[in-house]
Amino acid sequence: GHLEGGAGIAGLLKCILMLMAGTCPPNAHCRQLNPHLSVAGFPCFFDTEGIDTHLNSALTGVSSFGFGGTNGRCDIWGQARFGVNKSGELNLEELDQIAAVCPVTLGPIDSVTGEPMGRPSGERRRRRADVLRDEFAPYDISRYAYTGGFRYRMAELPEEEEGGGEEDLPADVSPYICGSWSGFTQMEEMESQGGGWYLATVVLGESRCETFDICLNKERSLTIYPAIGRAGPRIWVQGPDDRGEGRRWAIDGRDMEVSAGAVYQVHFKWSTERMEIHWEEVSESSAAMALSFEHTYYIAGSFSRWKCVALTAGAEEGAWEGSLRIGSQGREEFQLLRDKDWQQAIYPAKPKTARAGVPARGPDDLGKGKHFVVRGSPGETVGVELSIADAKVVVRVVPERGEATEWQSSEGWERHAYSAVGSFNGGVPIPMSMDLMRPGVFRCRAKVGDIFYPEYAGFLELFQVAVDDDLQHTLYPEANLSTSGEVIVRGPDDYGAEKNFLVRSITPYKAFDIVLDLTAEDRRKIVTWAWVQDELEDGA
């Protein structure tokens, strides 16, 4: 029977014991699910035997739905105190907060309240749930990304406190901006605007994309950088230190359909608690405030032992010319670089490409292992021509004998191709097509197979999303076997070889759509999947 008034405390005690043992107990007398119970796609598992969680700490909870309409929820975090998962001792006196990562800013937040976690101050926080957002509002995103209101706050918002958190750098310290618009060769002092704000003006070059970071007093050991590479303005700002590892902000006019020559002002806010970066397009009359720099393109390849050789500016604007000599093997490989920067490489969409018609890519940092290939007689000189104007790239090789070969780039969101790569479709990548009504959103469809996995009580498929069918550049979940929208999506890079999205169904041959949303600010929503409705599936 039902414990009525005692049901809640019984569930609470069960949750506590589960955490202490690091084990999920079976559902008593559960041997077979009701055939009328549809749980496809629902994140639940009905365990019929004790399951080892393999965790020494976890978060669990119990819900109460009262007869009178009063609902309650209790979440419990705890450590395993006995058994194979027994954890070490935790000194609660030293525990301030349990940190999580905001999926929008990628900055640290308190896992209970969603409040941003600044640098350690030494002050102990005894109160935990001291913030109540609007009803049904999420707590898993940072207050800096949250746009709703608050029903209760124990402390006022820092922005509303006297002084507004304004603080300038010391008089002997200045921020300098350094970017691809100067080939990362010049550091420009940012102009103080007061209140901790600093300003710099930049102009988008012929590639319509510029990247940058900031450092203090021109010291690379004091670099200020984003939490991820090619970051937008909402991403958490880190530093100053020397651990940036090439991470930069990117002003990408290709996504915003902004032409070359557009002028932007970059605003930087210094603070010991939270630094900020944002930028805005301004009138072309402000271009005089920006640095003037003549870019140079280089060729690097097997013929030069991958050392950079400068190209010569052609007669037309955006045109560059050079040559290479075919070696004894009768073939050479090469890439083109903007200002010797390997994060601004121009390369083909496919590795070792000699065939015309394969799209050119770049300038960007996704060209690892992808080289243009030219063949000819040993000792033959082959001309190399590059044209880049308003982000349109054309690469052309002209041999002494025979026809020229040409590669051209695609524009806008389709400057790269995307595909779903996984256990379905025999391992063959499934191309994704852009949604014409939603630029930057790509889709494809797959089906669950007929292999049943007893340990998961269902039919499974695993997948990642690859850039240009390249498994060295995939988008993948932060944790392996994560379901749709569950965790932060990482990449594209080659660090996710053992991390896949999980699709589980209780029936075989069920179709599902995979969606890549490059416009999503919540990084859990960059790659998602959803079941295809039966009526749509029948008509597919």
Side-chain angles (χ1 to χ4, degrees):
H2 199 284
L3 292 180
E4 296 185 351
I9 191 64
L12 176 63
L13 292 173
K14 179 179 179 180
C15 288
I16 293 173
L17 290 172
M18 289 168 58
L19 294 173
M20 293 180 67
T23 302
C24 291
N27 289 284
H29 312 302
C30 180
R31 297 293 180 267
Q32 184 175 359
L33 291 181
N34 189 318
H36 299 291
L37 183 63
S38 177
V39 295
F42 190 75
C44 65
F45 181 76
F46 298 92
D47 42 337
T48 57
E49 59 184 2
I51 298 176
D52 185 354
T53 64
H54 300 290
L55 299 173
N56 62 12
S57 66
L59 184 70
T60 186
V62 59
S63 299
S64 172
F65 305 101
F67 290 121
T70 300
N71 298 331
R73 172 73 181 179
C74 179
D75 290 298
I76 312 114
W77 176 86
Q79 292 182 298
R81 294 302 186 185
F82 51 83
V84 296
N85 296 321
K86 181 179 178 180
S87 63
E89 293 297 323
L90 176 65
N91 187 351
L92 294 177
E93 293 300 316
E94 297 295 326
L95 180 64
D96 275 343
Q97 298 164 290
I98 299 175
V101 176
C102 171
V104 178
T105 68
L106 297 183
I109 59 174
D110 174 56
S111 61
V112 176
T113 64
E115 290 293 287
M117 294 181 64
R119 300 176 183 179
S121 62
E123 179 184 354
R124 303 257 75 86
R125 286 198 58 185
R126 297 305 180 195
R127 295 180 289 271
R128 293 294 182 264
D130 53 2
V131 171
L132 283 178
R133 296 180 177 179
D134 289 340
E135 191 172 9
F136 306 120
Y139 288 87
D140 55 359
I141 62 173
S142 170
R143 170 166 51 82
Y144 298 142
Y146 174 61
T147 57
F150 295 89
R151 291 177 289 166
Y152 170 77
R153 288 190 63 88
M154 182 169 290
E156 294 182 353
L157 290 173
E159 291 83 356
E160 298 171 355
E161 295 176 350
E162 184 177 357
E166 298 179 355
E167 52 180 308
D168 285 315
L169 284 163
D172 59 344
V173 179
S174 297
Y176 287 78
I177 190 168
C178 187
S180 55
W181 52 80
S182 67
F184 287 93
T185 61
Q186 301 181 36
M187 292 191 180
E188 177 188 6
E189 185 174 0
M190 303 185 75
E191 179 183 349
S192 176
Q193 304 293 298
W197 284 100
Y198 297 84
L199 174 71
T201 303
V202 302
V203 178
L204 290 188
E206 73 291 343
S207 65
R208 289 169 56 193
C209 180
E210 303 291 355
T211 60
F212 68 94
D213 57 21
I214 293 171
C215 60
L216 302 182
N217 285 355
K218 298 185 179 181
E219 294 288 342
R220 274 298 172 191
S221 60
L222 297 175
T223 299
I224 296 169
Y225 53 90
I228 57 172
R230 305 188 72 82
R234 301 191 73 176
I235 298 299
W236 185 253
V237 182
Q238 297 180 333
D241 55 46
D242 59 355
R243 298 191 292 271
E245 299 177 344
R247 282 173 276 174
R248 305 166 180 170
W249 287 278
I251 306 175
D252 201 332
R254 298 170 297 182
D255 295 340
M256 301 175 286
E257 297 185 358
V258 175
S259 61
V263 183
Y264 281 83
Q265 286 187 337
V266 178
H267 301 264
F268 166 61
K269 171 68 180 298
W270 165 261
S271 172
T272 54
E273 288 296 320
R274 177 205 178 195
M275 292 178 284
E276 299 178 51
I277 287 276
H278 69 268
W279 50 84
E280 59 183 349
E281 187 178 2
V282 296
S283 67
E284 294 185 2
S285 61
S286 301
M289 302 171 60
L291 283 174
S292 178
F293 182 80
E294 293 293 331
H295 294 283
T296 302
Y297 282 84
Y298 293 78
I299 183 171
S302 54
F303 67 95
S304 65
R305 296 184 179 180
W306 295 100
K307 294 181 180 179
C308 294
V309 178
L311 299 178
T312 304
E316 298 182 3
E317 184 177 357
W320 298 86
E321 301 172 350
S323 63
L324 59 85
R325 185 179 295 274
I326 302 294
S328 59
Q329 301 296 320
R331 69 191 299 275
E332 299 293 344
E333 302 178 10
F334 70 92
Q335 287 186 350
L336 302 171
L337 307 177
R338 187 187 192 216
D339 299 321
K340 294 185 179 181
D341 185 359
W342 288 97
Q343 292 196 36
Q344 298 185 82
I346 296 173
Y347 54 91
K350 304 296 181 183
K352 302 184 185 303
T353 294
R355 179 171 54 87
V358 174
R361 303 298 196 210
D364 59 36
D365 58 350
L366 302 179
K368 182 180 179 181
K370 297 178 181 178
H371 307 142
F372 297 105
V373 174
V374 57
R375 295 185 174 90
S377 303
E380 179 182 358
T381 299
V382 177
V384 178
E385 300 174 358
L386 167 66
S387 172
I388 178 167
D390 211 21
K392 179 67 176 180
V393 175
V394 179
V395 178
R396 195 164 181 261
V397 294
V398 184
E400 292 179 351
R401 296 177 296 276
E403 297 182 353
T405 304
E406 185 175 279
W407 301 276
Q408 297 188 23
S409 65
S410 301
E411 298 188 47
W413 290 105
E414 295 182 295
R415 61 184 178 271
H416 285 286
Y418 301 93
S419 58
V421 182
S423 53
F424 43 73
N425 201 37
V428 177
I430 300 178
M432 306 184 79
S433 301
M434 190 170 75
D435 188 332
L436 297 180
M437 302 302 294
R438 297 179 61 193
V441 177
F442 297 78
R443 304 175 183 273
C444 71
R445 181 166 295 181
K447 281 190 176 183
V448 173
D450 58 0
I451 301 178
F452 185 80
Y453 294 84
E455 62 271 33
Y456 292 96
F459 301 87
L460 304 184
E461 298 294 348
L462 309 177
F463 75 92
Q464 296 180 341
V465 172
V467 181
D468 293 325
D469 294 341
D470 185 358
L471 296 182
Q472 292 189 90
H473 295 104
T474 62
L475 294 113
Y476 53 89
E478 195 169 47
N480 189 32
L481 303 182
S482 297
T483 58
S484 179
E486 185 178 14
V487 299
I488 292 172
V489 176
R490 297 291 183 177
D493 55 44
D494 59 351
Y495 299 132
E498 302 299 327
K499 297 179 179 179
N500 294 281
F501 295 98
L502 170 68
V503 181
R504 173 185 170 273
S505 173
I506 60 173
T507 58
Y509 310 119
K510 192 168 181 63
F512 58 96
D513 284 334
I514 299 173
V515 179
L516 168 66
D517 186 356
L518 298 177
T519 68
E521 289 191 331
D522 187 335
R523 296 189 67 85
R524 295 170 299 185
K525 309 299 182 185
I526 292 178
V527 177
T528 56
W529 63 267
W531 298 116
V532 176
Q533 299 299 321
D534 291 340
E535 60 270 24
L536 296 178
E537 186 177 343
D538 292 339

